Structures are given as C-alpha cells and as structure tokens.
Amino acid sequence: MTDHLPDTIRRLYTDPGEYIDSDHPIVEVFAKSAVLADASDREKAGVLYKAVRDGIRYNPYVSMRVPETFRASSVLAAGQGYCVGKAALYAAACRVHGIPARVGFADVKNHLTTEKLRQSMGTDIFTWHGFTEVYVDGAWRKATPTFNDTLCAKVGVAPLDFDGHNDALLHPFDGAGRAYMQYVNDRGSYHDVPAKFLMREMARDYANMQGEDLSGRDMEREAAEG
C-alpha cells in the first residue's frame, strides 16, 4: 500500500501525549534499546510489541483512581499494568521511532478470567479494554500487547503474536478450543488516553471493586492457584 498520512495527522500520532509520553527519558531508553536502529518500521513494531507484552506483567488489580495507572512511563517504571497502560506504553515506544500510534478501545467478553477477578468485577465484560493501533505499511494495524507469555501459559492459551503487519487482537479460543475472548463493542481510537473519562467510567462500571483493597492481588498468581 502507498497511502500516506497527512503531515498534521502524522504529527498528532507521533508527538508525545500526556499519557502516551514518548518524550519521557525511560520510555526513550526502553524503545531505543529494544530494536536495531536500521530495522524497518514493521520490524520495529513487531519487536516493540513483544517487549511490552512480555516485559510488562499484566495485572488488572491496579487503582483506576489515579492517572499514573494510564501513563506509559509509570507503567514501564512499575513493570506491570493493565490493558490500557500497556497499550499506552506500546504506542509511546512506537512514537519514539516515528511510527504513528494511537490507543483503541472496545468492550470484550472474557471467558477465562480468574474466578476471584470475576467476583470482584461482578461481570465477565471488560469495558473500555485497551489496545494499540500502529500505522505501518500504509495502514493502521491493531495489536493487543495485554497478556504476557507467563500468564498465557497459566491460563492455557498461546501468547498473541504481532508481526507488525497483520492485526493481532485477542484470541477467540484457547488452546483447548474453548471460547476465550469476544469483542462486543467498538469504542473508537484516540490520540492519547482519555484518563479522566476512564477513571469515571471504571468507577461506574466496576463499583464492586472500588471499595476493595486490591493491594497484593495478582492475576498471574491467582491463575496459577486455579
């Protein structure tokens, strides 16, 4: 494909954002050290995806009341985050290399969440699930760097791979052929994380979790315990 983004639109998706803070020093070091400088955009997008997917542990037991939960540099510093924070970090890492990137959102039905998480949430619908869109080879490509490889092994599904070209949204089935993840509502794409809005939405959608003490909770450990 030979399509090109207009310059103003390209800048919108390559300049740093408040939450996709690609100008933060630790994000720059992370992104530059992960890939070869002379690699193609497609190669960089694929390598950075895996670096975020496996280098940052997925843990949904984060506070939805603080903006740092949604900020790329904070997620990188913490070494863990939930889907939106990891999507922001992947977008930021791509922007460091001049690859246009943005965050997308959808509501998903998760059939393989842990029983403890389902009880806390009061539902198996994850509203405003975050993923990343990168502009490579003349088109926007969707990728979900959410579940790290060690967590995938514990819930019985292969980690989702992204080659920098073909869309990589979450698997519809697990390794045993059971329903795994179902996208039920597209919420659109954004140049930066709408964190204040998400904080309000999470408080409304998951009121059960607002009063719980989530400190010390870990989804990967819960998955291992069965």
Side-chain angles (χ1 to χ4, degrees), residues 116-216:
K116 288 183 178 180
L117 178 57
R118 183 162 43 242
Q119 289 175 359
S120 291
M121 292 176 58
T123 178
D124 61 358
I125 297 292
F126 286 64
T127 60
W128 293 90
H129 161 71
F131 57 92
T132 310
E133 295 183 347
V134 295
Y135 194 82
V136 176
D137 295 340
W140 288 104
R141 319 289 178 174
K142 295 179 172 65
T144 307
T146 302
F147 289 160
N148 51 290
D149 53 357
T150 53
L151 175 60
C152 286
K154 290 178 175 64
V155 299
V157 64
L160 185 66
D161 289 324
F162 178 52
D163 61 4
H165 184 82
N166 296 295
D167 286 352
L169 293 171
L170 291 174
H171 294 300
F173 303 101
D174 70 0
R178 296 170 296 185
Y180 177 57
M181 190 72 75
Q182 192 177 355
Y183 280 73
V184 296
N185 188 26
D186 184 356
R187 297 282 191 173
S189 303
Y190 301 76
H191 85 283
D192 202 4
V193 179
K196 290 184 178 180
F197 172 79
L198 291 180
M199 285 188 273
R200 292 193 297 269
E201 287 295 289
M202 296 301 100
R204 181 179 65 84
D205 292 344
Y206 305 112
N208 289 355
M209 297 183 75
Q210 298 304 305
E212 287 193 42
D213 180 9
L214 303 179
S215 60

Side-chain angles (χ1 to χ4, degrees), residues 24-157:
H24 194 286
I26 67 168
V27 175
E28 292 181 341
V29 170
F30 171 78
K32 291 176 180 177
S33 63
V35 300
L36 297 175
D38 60 351
S40 68
D41 283 355
R42 184 191 296 193
E43 291 169 334
K44 289 177 180 177
V47 171
L48 290 170
Y49 168 86
K50 191 170 183 179
V52 173
R53 185 195 72 187
D54 296 339
I56 306 297
R57 294 174 65 255
Y58 172 70
N59 191 15
Y61 296 119
V62 293
S63 175
M64 301 296 177
R65 301 172 181 171
V66 296
E68 300 314 309
T69 293
F70 307 92
R71 199 183 312 279
S73 59
S74 299
V75 171
L76 178 58
Q80 67 172 11
Y82 93 120
C83 58
V84 176
K86 293 189 69 172
L89 176 57
Y90 178 43
C94 287
R95 289 186 185 183
V96 169
H97 291 279
I99 301 171
R102 61 194 185 190
V103 286
F105 297 92
D107 297 343
V108 299
K109 186 176 180 67
N110 187 350
H111 299 266
L112 288 184
T113 182
T114 65
E115 183 58 34
K116 288 183 178 180
L117 178 57
R118 183 162 43 242
Q119 289 175 359
S120 291
M121 292 176 58
T123 178
D124 61 358
I125 297 292
F126 286 64
T127 60
W128 293 90
H129 161 71
F131 57 92
T132 310
E133 295 183 347
V134 295
Y135 194 82
V136 176
D137 295 340
W140 288 104
R141 319 289 178 174
K142 295 179 172 65
T144 307
T146 302
F147 289 160
N148 51 290
D149 53 357
T150 53
L151 175 60
C152 286
K154 290 178 175 64
V155 299
V157 64

Side-chain angles (χ1 to χ4, degrees), residues 1-6 10 135-141:
M1 299 179 68
T2 57
D3 295 339
H4 296 284
L5 293 176
R10 175 173 288 274
Y135 194 82
V136 176
D137 295 340
W140 288 104
R141 319 289 178 174

